[in-house]
Amino acid sequence: MRYRTLGGTGIEVSAHCLGTMMLGSVGNPDHQEGARVVHAALDAGINFVDTADMYSAGESEEIVGKALQGRRADVVLATKVHFPMGEGPNRGGNSRRWILRAVEDSLRRLRTDWIDLYQVHRADHRTDVEETLSVLGDLVRQGKIRAFGCSTFPAAEIVEAHWVSERRGLPRFRTEQPPYSLLARGVENTVLPVARRHNMGVLTWSPLASGFLTGRYRKGGAIDLGSGRPALTPHRFDPALPENARKLDVVERLVALADDLGCTLPELAVAFPLAHPAVTSVILGPRTVEQLTGLLKGAALTLDDEALDRIDAIVPPGTDLYRADGAWQPPALTPAALRRPAADRAAADN
């Protein structure tokens, strides 16, 4: 396992990161099996573990906390804050009020005194970013977190946050966690260049595009829309929809490329993000030890220029065939935000 410096933090992390979203009731509810997944990752040389308070409503953090007992000092532990954690208007978001509560809850569930990387899970347009940066800086000074970053932030909001940090003399986001895969290359346009310019560590998520790059979903094959991920978002898997049919066509071409390279489609998918110079670590999100073992087979796979050129011919750089973060969109893209009041839409008065 190779190790890379996480942006400008000086922290060395493995080129693959164990993502634990699938540990808990949403994926694998067996806590002992979840601990075995964590231990298998550590034994394979992974020293970077990523979770979030909202994964299975805190259960993922609890599994990780139990699994790391006795091994905590050797692990770079990351978690996230933002999404609602219960009923009530102030039990989520990026406010000082909520973050101070949420970090204590995460520390308790993780059974640790500190978090190495505390990430803001999404932007919060109700809260000034200055407010968020200020409280995160306080947590660093208190020793409860070592560094902090953002996740799935648009490039413009990353730049704004850096501008506010410089203007207000506040600590800055050190990392960004964007979706990035063979089918979701949109972050290559601005997010990855911005992260590189500001020396941010980048840990990417969903290299398998929510299962589309596992090889389970093939052109002409049956897709059960009533179970697994397709049951959660059937519109993103239904082969009758043109956008999904296009993805399945691309998958067939990627399968052929993987065959030529002597690897599997998942191995190709996991190796691809590491070829980008801005990427520090690729998050793997297995549900079982067997899935982790299969994904790690691609750890030694090196994609040469010819292979990357062939990928570019199939999915051009900067192209999004699959919007990984389909459950969230910036408020600026809502229909109401895109339309002037009806009375002000003409260039001249009637």
Side-chain angles (χ1 to χ4, degrees):
M1 184 63 64
R2 292 179 177 174
Y3 299 87
R4 298 171 172 178
T5 304
L6 187 63
T9 67
I11 301 172
E12 294 290 316
V13 298
S14 48
H16 282 139
C17 172
L18 176 66
T20 62
M21 186 177 73
M22 299 308 294
L23 303 186
S25 59
V26 169
N28 188 341
D30 187 330
H31 285 212
Q32 292 185 341
E33 175 67 11
R36 284 192 288 271
V37 171
V38 175
H39 294 159
L42 301 185
D43 293 342
I46 290 175
N47 76 335
F48 198 11
V49 178
D50 177 76
T51 186
D53 57 3
M54 59 86 67
Y55 293 165
S56 295
E59 189 179 6
S60 173
E61 285 188 329
E62 292 174 356
I63 293 172
V64 170
K66 288 188 287 187
L68 292 183
Q69 293 304 291
R71 306 184 73 168
R72 173 68 184 92
D74 297 323
V75 173
V76 179
L77 181 58
T79 191
K80 298 182 281 293
V81 61
H82 168 79
F83 286 105
M85 292 292 291
E87 300 294 332
N90 291 306
R91 293 184 58 82
N94 302 344
S95 69
R96 171 178 289 271
R97 185 181 192 276
W98 174 242
I99 288 176
L100 289 175
R101 165 69 184 275
V103 73
E104 298 295 341
D105 291 342
S106 287
L107 289 168
R108 172 177 47 80
R109 287 189 292 262
L110 291 166
R111 303 188 182 191
T112 186
D113 294 326
W114 82 97
I115 294 164
D116 293 291
L117 177 63
Y118 199 45
Q119 300 156 101
V120 180
H121 212 154
R122 294 291 188 275
D124 179 1
H125 298 89
R126 304 167 305 169
T127 305
D128 285 347
V129 70
E130 179 179 354
E131 176 86 358
T132 303
L133 294 169
S134 176
V135 65
L136 293 172
D138 289 345
L139 292 177
V140 171
R141 286 186 286 273
Q142 293 168 16
K144 294 181 179 180
I145 65 176
R146 299 295 187 254
F148 58 86
C150 50
S151 175
T152 322
F153 269 46
E157 300 206 24
I158 296 174
V159 171
E160 179 187 0
H162 283 299
W163 181 85
V164 170
S165 293
E166 181 176 349
R167 188 172 181 84
R168 300 300 187 190
L170 296 169
R172 65 186 181 91
F173 287 133
R174 290 291 186 176
T175 63
E176 161 61 11
Q177 184 179 140
Y180 187 35
S181 73
L182 288 163
L183 297 183
R185 301 186 61 176
V187 294
E188 293 172 343
N189 289 305
T190 53
V191 171
L192 295 184
V194 163
R196 197 176 185 198
R197 176 183 290 271
H198 290 282
N199 195 25
M200 299 174 73
V202 174
L203 46 158
T204 64
W205 58 272
S206 199
L208 299 182
S210 296
F212 250 99
L213 297 173
T214 62
R216 290 197 303 268
Y217 308 114
R218 300 290 297 273
K219 185 176 181 179
I223 297 179
D224 182 3
L225 299 177
S227 64
R229 287 185 182 271
L232 298 175
T233 53
H235 64 283
R236 301 169 75 184
F237 290 86
D238 186 351
L241 299 177
E243 60 269 26
N244 295 329
R246 183 185 179 197
K247 285 181 284 189
L248 292 172
D249 286 337
V250 167
V251 166
E252 293 305 310
R253 297 176 66 186
L254 291 172
V255 168
L257 173 58
D259 289 342
D260 289 347
L261 296 175
C263 66
T264 65
L265 178 60
E267 290 168 8
L268 175 66
V270 167
F272 169 74
L274 286 173
H276 196 288
V279 174
T280 310
S281 187
V282 175
I283 298 174
L284 309 178
R287 187 170 51 85
T288 65
V289 173
E290 290 73 24
Q291 288 181 355
L292 174 66
T293 301
L295 291 172
L296 287 176
K297 288 180 180 178
L301 178 62
T302 300
L303 299 178
D304 59 21
D305 288 342
E306 180 183 357
L308 292 172
D309 287 343
R310 291 181 64 182
I311 289 172
D312 290 347
I314 297 171
V315 184
T319 300
D320 269 336
L321 297 181
Y322 175 85
R323 189 164 178 264
D325 190 32
W328 180 87
Q329 68 174 2
L333 294 183
T334 59
L338 294 170
R339 299 170 184 169
R340 290 178 178 272
D344 192 32
R345 292 176 192 170
D349 293 332
N350 291 329

